[in-house]
Amino acid sequence: MQHESLCVAETPSFTWPAPLSQAAAAVHRFALAIARRTEPVARRHGRFALALQGGGALGAFTWGVLDRLLELADFHPDALSGASAGAANAVVLASGWMRGGRDGAKEALDHFWHRVGALPSIWRSPPGALFDPSVALEMASALVSPYDFNPLNHNPLRAILAELTDFERLRRAEAPPIFVSATEVETGRPRIFTNAELQLDTVLASACLPHLFQAVEIEGRSYWDGGYTVNPPIVPLRQFLGRARLLLVLVNPSRRRGIPRNARDIAARLGQIRANASVWRDLEDGRAIDTIELSEDSPGMLAKYNNDWRFIQSLRDRGRAAAEAWLAGATPAPGAAD
């Protein structure tokens, strides 16, 4: 009987003082946040808000990243934003997603980049050619404008995007939110187009490299590549934090070891700095976001014009490898010191 009385004896109750209780709860929340931050991404949810940087053919790196992410069983694009090639990747993925889920998105992106890689390319020079095609392009762009050499304003992306993207469907309420940037030529200010405004010319405006194509007119205003002002739109995706992971895909390296010393390397680094300027502005609030970026040994300034299929393939493979590393938790924040 004595043992029974011992078993049922009441334990004295104790209540922590309110300040200590609140402090303990805060430490617990902080520990959970740290654990979640260091947890491999593959074990987290697959809802994404994707910010896709532009950079011409370098967008094939982003294709590789997306191709790998689309293999996640729970992948879901809650929202997308993009400039230039990033805008093309965004609308092609979203259109394919609405048509056939993950498989439809993978297939659409694959078709898009295969078509881009099949277009005529000055980089496919005959073996033993005595000139560097990038030098020829650089000289030509400094001497003539698309209003001279392309008076009919032919843009091969028009037919490809028109075939692979259902813009009418992307304007529906059930489509994932999409934000596409373009640069107004006369004011130099950015414009962010949303789903209700999406059309073929919206994406062509966002990807309008002024050395190659005439400005794209929309509602009486003329636009150039969105990469000059907002590359890519990040701020509109902040609203999706909490329910989705905000992932930034950079095709312009955020850091470079050493000082470039020849003219071409200097120009390439200046181009990367300019392309990333809007990224640093949008990250000034100090809130870190997940990032996958093309490594610092990226191709030179004119690589964005190189649509040779072998180059496209190499960028895709590098994108897939970078996404794999990120999924394993091995990727630092943009601009992080070694």
Side-chain angles (χ1 to χ4, degrees):
M1 296 296 295
Q2 288 180 340
H3 289 292
E4 289 183 4
S5 64
L6 287 173
C7 292
V8 298
E10 293 185 3
T11 302
S13 62
F14 178 78
T15 303
W16 288 93
L20 288 177
S21 179
Q22 293 169 358
V27 170
H28 178 68
R29 289 194 299 270
F30 179 74
L32 287 177
I34 293 297
R36 182 169 178 77
R37 184 67 182 168
T38 57
E39 178 189 9
V41 179
R43 295 202 295 267
R44 306 176 196 164
H45 65 77
R47 305 187 74 93
F48 289 91
L50 299 165
L52 310 178
Q53 192 177 52
L58 298 180
F61 171 83
T62 303
W63 168 35
V65 171
L66 299 174
D67 191 63
R68 177 61 185 92
L69 294 181
L70 284 162
E71 294 171 1
L72 298 175
D74 59 349
F75 175 88
H76 188 279
D78 275 31
L80 305 101
S81 73
S84 192
N89 276 323
V91 298
V92 170
L93 182 151
S95 189
W97 173 268
M98 295 188 71
R99 183 171 57 250
R102 291 187 297 123
D103 290 341
K106 279 177 69 75
E107 182 181 3
L109 286 167
D110 185 81
H111 285 336
F112 175 78
W113 285 102
H114 270 83
R115 293 281 299 277
V116 170
L119 294 171
S121 172
I122 63 171
W123 269 262
R124 285 193 283 274
S125 305
L130 300 178
F131 69 98
D132 182 344
S134 65
V135 173
L137 178 61
E138 191 172 16
M139 293 176 60
S141 64
L143 296 174
V144 294
S145 87
Y147 295 87
D148 299 319
F149 67 78
N150 188 12
L152 299 180
N153 201 24
H154 173 68
N155 187 335
L157 288 181
R158 178 178 291 277
I160 299 173
L161 285 168
E163 179 182 329
L164 296 175
T165 310
D166 187 344
F167 287 99
E168 190 278 328
R169 199 168 187 177
L170 293 182
R171 291 192 292 268
R172 297 178 186 173
E174 63 269 23
I178 300 174
F179 305 90
V180 170
S181 66
T183 302
E184 189 177 343
V185 178
E186 293 185 73
T187 65
R189 298 179 65 84
R191 176 172 174 180
I192 308 298
F193 295 91
T194 58
N195 291 64
E197 305 164 299
L198 283 182
Q199 55 178 302
L200 179 56
D201 278 346
T202 307
V203 183
L204 293 178
S206 182
C208 179
L209 295 169
H211 298 303
L212 296 180
F213 306 112
Q214 299 177 25
V216 177
E217 185 173 315
I218 300 174
E219 299 172 350
R221 298 182 182 275
S222 297
Y223 295 93
W224 280 343
D225 198 296
Y228 296 120
T229 48
V230 179
N231 191 20
I234 296 175
V235 173
L237 298 183
R238 295 285 192 189
Q239 61 186 297
F240 300 96
L241 281 172
R243 83 181 201 199
R245 301 189 60 79
L246 203 172
L247 174 62
L248 169 65
V249 182
L250 292 177
V251 300
N252 295 283
S254 58
R255 300 185 72 241
R256 183 190 192 279
R257 291 181 179 86
I259 307 300
R261 298 188 181 278
N262 64 58
R264 183 159 298 182
D265 287 347
I266 290 172
R269 186 55 184 153
L270 279 173
Q272 293 164 354
I273 291 171
R274 293 190 188 107
N276 286 333
S278 70
V279 172
W280 307 131
R281 183 184 65 236
D282 289 345
L283 296 181
E284 282 179 351
D285 60 8
R287 289 184 290 180
I289 64 175
D290 290 289
T291 305
I292 300 176
E293 67 176 278
L294 187 60
S295 58
E296 70 169 87
D297 60 334
S298 67
M301 181 182 67
L302 294 176
K304 62 185 176 182
Y305 300 112
N306 183 358
N307 67 304
D308 181 79
W309 174 242
R310 293 164 298 180
F311 182 61
I312 297 293
Q313 279 183 305
S314 70
L315 287 170
R316 178 204 58 195
D317 293 344
R318 291 175 69 176
R320 283 188 58 88
E324 193 68 54
W326 180 76
L327 288 169
T331 304
D338 295 327

